[in-house]
Amino acid sequence: MGDLITVINSTLAMTTISFYGMMMVLNKERDLMMLTPKTIHDDLHEHHTQVIQLFSKYPWLIPATTLLHIIPVAIGVHGFWQSRALSKQLKIEREKTKQLALQQVEKVQSAVASHHCQRPTLHHLFNKINSHH
């Protein structure tokens, strides 16, 4: 069991990081340094060899590692589809709100138009009163 932990720790300790084209490797022996493409290739080859040896020695790690990679992907896909569905629902609700607002404006306009036609304004009443005298 101790051998497995040592192999996993050494595998995890050698992680490749790419930042704007600058390749750096975090390693127990090296802190943080610029590497040439040859050094990067050699380190990656060594890392891949260690991973292959680890999987050869402990084949049960293959499905466990695959599962650990599938879980975040599944969560991401689910979140994407849920976000897409909610976005569509939001667009529909906005359109419904616009339609209701337009209907309300039409009702108000028709009520104002009918109000002006049926009841004379105060100005018209004064004109009628003044014309009779």
Side-chain angles (χ1 to χ4, degrees), residues 3-4 7 11 47-63 65:
D3 185 35
L4 173 65
V7 172
T11 303
H47 173 71
H48 289 154
T49 304
Q50 287 178 353
V51 170
I52 290 170
Q53 289 174 354
L54 178 68
F55 285 151
S56 296
K57 192 171 183 179
Y58 304 101
W60 59 267
L61 284 174
I62 295 172
T65 306

Side-chain angles (χ1 to χ4, degrees), residues 31-51:
D31 281 45
L32 190 63
M33 58 187 286
M34 292 287 294
L35 298 174
T36 63
K38 172 93 171 96
T39 310
I40 294 169
H41 177 73
D42 292 342
D43 286 346
L44 286 175
H45 181 69
E46 180 185 341
H47 173 71
H48 289 154
T49 304
Q50 287 178 353
V51 170

Side-chain angles (χ1 to χ4, degrees), residues 34-112:
M34 292 287 294
L35 298 174
T36 63
K38 172 93 171 96
T39 310
I40 294 169
H41 177 73
D42 292 342
D43 286 346
L44 286 175
H45 181 69
E46 180 185 341
H47 173 71
H48 289 154
T49 304
Q50 287 178 353
V51 170
I52 290 170
Q53 289 174 354
L54 178 68
F55 285 151
S56 296
K57 192 171 183 179
Y58 304 101
W60 59 267
L61 284 174
I62 295 172
T65 306
T66 304
L67 182 65
L68 286 174
H69 285 90
I70 288 175
I71 290 171
V73 171
I75 291 171
V77 169
H78 173 73
F80 171 78
W81 284 113
Q82 188 176 16
S83 173
R84 188 171 178 214
L86 290 173
S87 177
K88 283 184 179 181
Q89 185 179 358
L90 180 62
K91 286 180 183 179
I92 291 169
E93 292 300 323
R94 283 182 180 160
E95 186 61 32
K96 285 180 183 178
T97 303
K98 286 179 186 177
Q99 293 297 324
L100 288 173
L102 287 174
Q103 289 174 359
Q104 188 66 25
V105 167
E106 289 171 0
K107 285 180 184 178
V108 168
Q109 286 176 345
S110 65
V112 168

Side-chain angles (χ1 to χ4, degrees), residues 5-25:
I5 293 173
T6 304
V7 172
I8 291 174
N9 283 337
S10 66
T11 303
L12 293 175
M14 199 163 90
T15 305
T16 304
I17 300 172
S18 173
F19 181 73
Y20 295 107
M22 296 171 25
M23 296 296 287
M24 298 177 219
V25 173

